[in-house]
Amino acid sequence: IAYKSNRIARNILNALMFENEMEKLDIKVVYAKEEFGNNAAGRFALRTMMNVNQFFSENMAEDIKRNQADNALNCRANGPAPYGYKTGEDGKFAIDKTKAPIVQEIFNRIANGEKFVEIGRDLNSRGIKTKNGNEWGKSSFFTILHNERYTGVYIFQDKRIEGGMPRIVDDETFWKVQEMLKVN
């Protein structure tokens, strides 16, 4: 039992293969919100609906990609904001005034040679959580420390726009940390 035919598959070939497998196993597929009937007209209607489902899925994917490309050209958020940022009312990344200083602190402490464990222990003792609300551990820093967005570069897929988002970390500190990460 499926709610509708688009819950089985949004690709006509996959949907037809599924129907065929179920038929071989003598299992009847029923759709709660769609009735196709077990005759030539019903099977034709089902296959037509499967084709419509595939069209809808492909068309939606194209719309999403087009919207994301437009967002990227205008430096608007495509997905969740990195730690230290939030999505502003205009759809662009804005500095999160409570978390951006934590990002700066992490970069500065790493640039000054402090160990992840020490920084994590300190942040945890102060009640500061990671983006996901967890305690800091050695691996908690990887995404932050490798994210060039903190230097003000908007990045989405193959789009890179210098100055496309607010800077949190200066170039010198960012690149010093990158060199240290290569060594360590």
Side-chain angles (χ1 to χ4, degrees):
I1 298 174
Y3 183 70
K4 292 176 81 174
S5 58
N6 65 1
R7 300 294 83 203
I8 297 295
R10 291 193 179 176
N11 172 298
I12 192 166
L13 181 59
N14 291 343
L16 289 171
M17 287 173 34
F18 174 79
E19 288 276 333
N20 187 48
E21 285 298 312
M22 294 300 101
E23 190 175 308
K24 283 182 192 174
L25 296 170
D26 200 29
I27 297 172
K28 182 178 178 176
V29 179
V30 179
Y31 303 101
K33 290 292 183 179
E34 297 169 330
E35 176 56 50
F36 296 106
N38 191 20
N39 55 31
R43 288 186 293 278
F44 175 77
L46 173 60
R47 288 178 183 91
T48 301
M49 184 55 74
M50 289 174 177
N51 209 4
V52 168
N53 294 339
Q54 181 169 334
F55 166 77
F56 178 78
S57 179
E58 290 173 0
N59 191 54
M60 185 170 31
E62 290 171 6
D63 287 347
I64 289 168
K65 285 180 184 172
R66 194 170 26 257
N67 190 42
Q68 287 177 330
D70 182 57
N71 282 349
L73 287 174
N74 293 291
C75 299
R76 288 191 300 260
N78 273 320
Y83 190 89
Y85 292 103
K86 61 184 179 180
T87 303
E89 290 182 25
D90 61 357
K92 295 182 178 188
F93 291 114
I95 289 180
D96 180 328
K97 292 183 194 296
T98 60
K99 293 181 179 159
I102 304 303
V103 172
Q104 291 170 328
E105 178 183 340
I106 291 168
F107 271 93
N108 289 328
R109 290 173 78 171
I110 295 295
N112 288 321
E114 244 184 284
K115 306 267 185 247
F116 295 143
V117 170
E118 296 165 5
I119 299 169
R121 193 176 303 130
D122 178 52
L123 294 173
N124 291 333
S125 73
R126 292 163 38 200
I128 298 169
K129 301 290 185 187
T130 65
K131 181 177 179 169
N132 296 327
N134 300 319
E135 289 199 339
W136 295 84
K138 288 191 302 188
S139 62
S140 304
F141 301 99
F142 183 85
T143 302
I144 290 174
L145 294 174
H146 286 87
N147 193 342
E148 196 179 351
R149 290 173 180 91
Y150 293 118
T151 65
V153 179
Y154 177 93
I155 302 169
F156 182 75
Q157 294 175 345
D158 62 339
K159 305 274 188 285
R160 290 179 51 85
I161 302 172
E162 300 283 337
M165 55 195 299
R167 175 186 292 273
I168 293 178
V169 177
D170 64 83
D171 288 344
E172 184 181 338
T173 304
F174 181 83
W175 293 112
K176 180 178 182 182
V177 168
Q178 299 316 297
E179 288 303 313
M180 293 175 78
L181 292 173
K182 285 181 191 174
V183 173
N184 296 327

